Amino acid sequence: MKYIANCDEKIRLDKYLIDKLDISRSKVQEMIKQDLISVNNKKVKNSYILRENDIVEVLGELQNKTGAEKEEMPLDIIYEDDDVIVINKPSGLVVHPAAGHYTGTLVNGLLAHTESLSKKDILRPGIVHRIDKDTSGLIIVAKNDKAHEFLSKQLKDKSLSRIYLALVQGKINHDTGTIDAPIGRDLNDRKKMCVTDVNSKEAITHFRVLERYKNATLIECKLETGRTHQIRVHMNYIGHPIVNDPVYGYKKKVTSFGQMLHAKTIEFIHPKTNKRVSFSCDAPKEFYEILEKYKEE
């Protein structure tokens, strides 16, 4: 299994693979020791610092466990052409294969839908960015490497715009706000992210209040950056976690539905036409059913 490193800052090889493969540090270090991991076809140490476009190859037992297979599944395609696909992902669907989710992911469905997917990352063909399993809404898929690179550049220079609908716990009194707080991995629980100054990246979320209820607030969030769990972490940080969030929320889940977070609008410059395009979609009916319960309180 090969990966092309996309590094916007210095990162050790072992840390990169821990996040990429979702396995322990000891497992990664053991594989490096056994020469099951190479960079640019050369043996390297755990502490090797990756550079942009380094080719990381993983050999051995993980190779057969991470390859995605074609699986027929219904896809809610909002738009498709020769370069991109815009999909409305349902809550509960994992975007790409990883530990514990080697089948039934969006990538499995995409492979059955089309043979034209970018190959910048073999484990995640076509995936330019991701949204959490229990977050619904729009995601862009690249159908070739040129489109993938073009869209990735927009993520980096922040010209790709994403707007989310979110129901958060508690009442937010001010109408608008900006959360500018760096996000990194939680040192006590590597599956979680948190606001921290340790090994973190810039994270900025803008929000505005759409409607207030007795015990919750409906807001619209616009991402200026795109860190893992960014909105969930930021809203929890200011004391208003997403309703139904099983990880960052501080109250029991309302229903079995995922967190009340929906990627409703995405705007980007099309890789072929160079024109700005925008796509939007409504939140799922379960989102509005839960919203009604809060309106009635």
Side-chain angles (χ1 to χ4, degrees):
M1 191 64 64
K2 292 183 179 180
Y3 304 91
I4 299 177
N6 182 12
C7 308
D8 55 5
E9 62 178 32
K10 293 181 178 180
I11 184 171
R12 284 171 53 117
L13 173 64
D14 53 3
K15 185 178 186 303
Y16 173 83
L17 288 170
I18 287 169
D19 293 340
K20 180 71 71 173
L21 302 177
D22 195 21
I23 58 178
S24 67
R25 181 181 296 275
S26 60
K27 178 65 176 177
V28 168
Q29 293 176 343
E30 182 62 27
M31 292 178 71
I32 293 175
K33 186 183 298 184
Q34 294 179 13
D35 296 331
L36 295 177
I37 294 173
S38 65
V39 178
N40 302 326
N41 292 318
K42 296 179 180 179
K43 297 179 181 180
V44 288
K45 297 181 179 180
N46 300 328
S47 58
Y48 175 84
I49 303 298
L50 286 172
R51 295 171 294 180
E52 188 79 11
N53 294 322
D54 272 352
I55 298 175
V56 181
E57 185 169 8
V58 180
L59 305 173
E61 63 177 289
L62 282 177
Q63 191 169 21
N64 294 327
K65 291 184 179 180
T66 54
E69 301 292 336
K70 297 180 181 180
E71 292 182 43
E72 294 288 345
M73 68 175 64
L75 298 175
D76 186 2
I77 296 175
I78 303 298
Y79 174 82
E80 180 175 7
D81 59 26
D82 292 338
D83 297 283
V84 299
I85 309 174
V86 179
I87 292 176
N88 179 19
K89 186 192 81 68
S91 175
L93 180 63
V94 175
V95 171
H96 57 74
H101 295 284
Y102 297 114
T103 61
T105 72
L106 177 60
V107 162
N108 296 110
L110 285 168
L111 289 170
H113 171 72
T114 179
E115 295 183 359
S116 300
L117 291 172
S118 66
K119 298 177 176 60
K120 290 285 288 181
D121 188 327
I122 297 175
L123 181 60
R124 302 174 172 90
I127 302 302
V128 179
H129 66 107
R130 58 183 292 277
I131 54 179
D132 299 332
K133 172 188 173 184
D134 291 328
T135 297
S136 59
L138 298 178
I139 183 170
I140 310 172
V141 175
K143 297 182 74 173
N144 54 69
D145 289 354
K146 185 177 181 180
H148 194 130
E149 291 174 3
F150 191 86
L151 293 166
S152 294
K153 184 176 182 296
Q154 292 180 62
L155 280 172
K156 285 186 176 181
D157 66 21
K158 303 175 184 178
S159 59
L160 190 152
S161 174
R162 287 162 290 170
I163 297 175
Y164 287 72
L165 191 65
L167 183 68
V168 300
Q169 295 172 0
K171 188 177 290 186
I172 298 178
N173 294 319
H174 38 289
D175 294 335
T176 63
T178 294
I179 307 167
D180 185 349
I183 291 176
R185 196 160 298 276
D186 191 317
L187 297 179
N188 298 315
D189 184 351
R190 61 172 302 273
K191 292 183 179 181
K192 295 176 62 176
M193 308 300 288
C194 66
V195 171
T196 176
D197 291 326
V198 180
N199 296 322
S200 58
K201 294 181 180 180
E202 177 189 39
I204 301 173
T205 303
H206 306 283
F207 70 86
R208 69 184 183 94
V209 171
L210 300 178
E211 196 167 353
R212 295 181 178 91
Y213 311 114
K214 182 179 178 180
N215 297 306
T217 306
L218 182 66
I219 62 173
E220 185 179 86
C221 296
K222 185 173 183 179
L223 292 179
E224 187 169 322
T225 56
R227 307 306 173 203
T228 300
H229 299 174
Q230 179 172 317
I231 295 175
R232 298 167 66 191
V233 171
H234 271 173
M235 297 316 298
N236 179 58
Y237 177 67
I238 66 169
H240 295 283
I242 305 293
V243 168
N244 242 21
D245 191 327
V247 177
Y248 302 100
Y250 52 70
K251 290 184 178 180
K252 292 182 179 180
K253 292 182 68 176
V254 178
T255 71
S256 59
F257 183 67
Q259 58 255 7
M260 293 287 284
L261 184 62
H262 173 73
K264 73 168 191 174
T265 301
I266 195 160
E267 295 184 2
F268 57 93
I269 300 170
H270 193 281
K272 182 165 289 183
T273 66
N274 277 319
K275 293 182 179 179
R276 193 161 188 84
V277 292
S278 176
F279 301 95
S280 297
C281 67
D282 287 334
K285 63 180 180 61
E286 294 90 347
F287 189 104
Y288 290 107
E289 287 171 355
I290 294 174
L291 202 60
E292 284 300 319
K293 294 179 180 180
Y294 278 85
K295 288 181 180 180
E296 294 169 358
E297 289 183 351

